[in-house]
Amino acid sequence: MSTSIEPISWQVGDELPTMVRTPSTVQLFRFSAVTWNPHRTHYDHPFARSEGHPGVIVHSHLHAALALQVVTSQLRSHHRVAEYTYRVVRSAFAGHPLTFRATVAGVDDERVQFDVTEHDEAGDLCLSGTVTVVSAA
Amino acid sequence: MDVNTAEPQQLLERYYTTMRERLGERRRFERGTLLAVQIARYALAIGDENGIHRDRDAAVAAGYDDVVAPPNMLASIWEWDAGTPERDLNPDGTPAVDRGALHRGLRGFGAGESMQMLVPATAGMDIVEDEELERVELKHGRRGPVVFVTERHTFSDSRSGQVLNVNHRTFAVREPHEEQ
């Protein structure tokens, strides 16, 4: 079936446009600043390397915020996100592209559920989750 | 236990035991008024250019009272007040206060969340956060033991009394070792 939270008509199996983002060190710094997150692994390259990482690490909440946008970028003003569940299963690093995909997993008269994924440039899964969208009315 | 000389395994065991003893612990934090500039900066940092996060007129036209926070913004903020002085940070930069002191010598990272967004958070709301430590589990993976800690965070607007979102947040703590 298709959903009635028009004007967008979504059907199970529909894929949203793929989104590619490459978090920069500036973006990680700004995310640390705006969330007042002092963890050095997100902005201190020598420290991150001392922990065995190839570079500064993308925050788990930034993973989540980026993945959510593959859905929210396609919404209309009368839609809103009602539920979001995700797991970060692999680290990602500044300067490396991340690819985000969303597929319609379920629809009914009141909501649409999307499966979302984030993969790194090697094709390894970094995040998987589900996003539920409802009418804001 | 002297955290400077203790083995990582001892620190993880202590962390697990202490956190288990605290299961069910509840805390309330008055987070203050959510500012439009906070929202706009967060949206900029995550690369979300939707006008509803920075332009009041656009937000009102979309049906909100004021600029609206991206859905996971409240859950993402680590420290809401002035923050922890540098002298009170762990060597990795994390605050060494309260439960954070137990992280010293260990590694913690966000593992995932489950959020219900009931009411969009908009500028001008007075945010209150209720936290409950709801699960502490020790698991053994291929990289060794990991403690998974889940907290429930409930964000409300104290002016209206409305619950904005409920967030079950899991983070993992393990012994330090080289990444694979």
Side-chain angles (χ1 to χ4, degrees):
Chain A
M1 67 179 294
S2 61
T3 178
S4 64
I5 61 169
E6 300 292 348
I8 299 175
S9 179
W10 283 302
Q11 294 186 327
V12 172
D14 285 352
E15 294 181 6
L16 301 187
T18 297
M19 185 181 87
V20 179
R21 296 279 184 89
T22 303
S24 66
T25 52
V26 171
Q27 183 171 29
L28 267 58
F29 163 74
R30 278 183 157 168
F31 192 83
S32 291
V34 77
T35 59
W36 216 224
N37 178 341
H39 200 308
R40 293 169 64 192
T41 200
H42 302 303
Y43 57 85
D44 184 337
H45 193 89
F47 176 81
R49 288 187 62 84
S50 77
E51 291 204 317
H53 304 300
V56 287
I57 299 179
V58 176
H59 314 66
S60 61
H61 282 111
L62 183 54
H63 280 275
L66 293 171
L68 195 53
Q69 289 175 69
V70 74
V71 173
T72 57
S73 63
Q74 302 302 311
L75 302 183
R76 299 294 184 263
S77 61
H78 62 285
H79 301 146
R80 69 173 182 85
V81 175
E83 296 177 10
Y84 183 26
T85 298
Y86 68 90
R87 289 180 63 221
V88 175
V89 297
R90 191 176 186 85
S91 298
F93 306 96
H96 295 270
L98 299 169
T99 301
F100 301 89
R101 296 183 177 88
T103 304
V104 177
V107 296
D108 62 29
D109 288 343
E110 298 179 343
R111 56 187 53 213
V112 185
Q113 187 176 69
F114 300 88
D115 288 338
V116 296
T117 59
E118 175 200 54
H119 290 83
D120 63 18
E121 58 195 328
D124 290 319
L125 181 70
C126 295
L127 174 148
S128 65
T130 60
V131 178
T132 302
V133 170
V134 299
S135 171
Chain B
M1 181 186 297
D2 184 346
V3 298
N4 295 310
T5 58
E7 292 295 322
Q9 184 178 357
Q10 292 176 295
L11 294 177
L12 192 66
E13 288 173 359
R14 182 190 69 156
Y15 179 76
Y16 173 66
T17 301
T18 305
M19 293 301 280
R20 289 283 297 181
E21 290 170 352
R22 292 186 173 194
L23 265 175
E25 184 177 83
R26 296 181 180 185
R27 301 187 294 185
R28 167 167 279 212
F29 304 95
E30 308 283 343
R31 297 307 195 188
T33 303
L34 188 60
L35 303 177
V37 69
Q38 284 178 287
I39 293 171
R41 284 181 170 178
Y42 183 83
L44 181 77
I46 66 172
D48 188 336
E49 298 182 353
N50 192 326
I52 61 174
H53 305 310
R54 55 186 164 77
D55 180 344
R56 187 174 188 278
D57 290 341
V60 170
Y64 300 102
D65 292 336
D66 208 321
V67 290
V68 58
N72 77 331
M73 176 179 166
L74 300 185
S76 299
I77 297 175
W78 190 308
E79 294 187 298
W80 288 75
D81 55 10
T84 304
E86 189 168 342
R87 64 177 176 275
D88 294 328
L89 298 179
N90 288 316
D92 66 2
T94 57
V97 293
D98 193 36
R99 292 177 193 161
L102 299 170
H103 284 217
R104 189 182 179 96
L106 299 170
R107 287 195 190 166
F109 51 94
E113 288 180 290
S114 182
M115 292 181 267
Q116 289 178 290
M117 276 69 86
L118 305 170
V119 176
T122 54
M125 288 182 168
D126 282 334
I127 305 298
V128 174
E129 180 177 5
D130 289 291
E131 177 196 277
E132 180 176 352
L133 183 57
E134 59 180 9
R135 194 162 66 242
V136 179
E137 296 176 307
L138 175 63
K139 296 184 178 180
H140 294 272
R142 63 184 174 86
R143 296 180 184 179
V146 183
V147 177
F148 288 92
V149 176
T150 302
E151 300 166 341
R152 183 177 65 206
H153 297 257
T154 303
F155 294 92
S156 306
D157 172 26
S158 65
R159 293 186 186 182
S160 66
Q162 289 181 305
V163 175
L164 307 176
N165 71 62
V166 181
N167 164 20
H168 301 267
R169 182 183 310 166
T170 300
F171 57 94
V173 178
R174 61 170 169 77
E175 302 162 15
H177 59 73
E178 294 292 301
E179 289 296 304
Q180 303 301 307

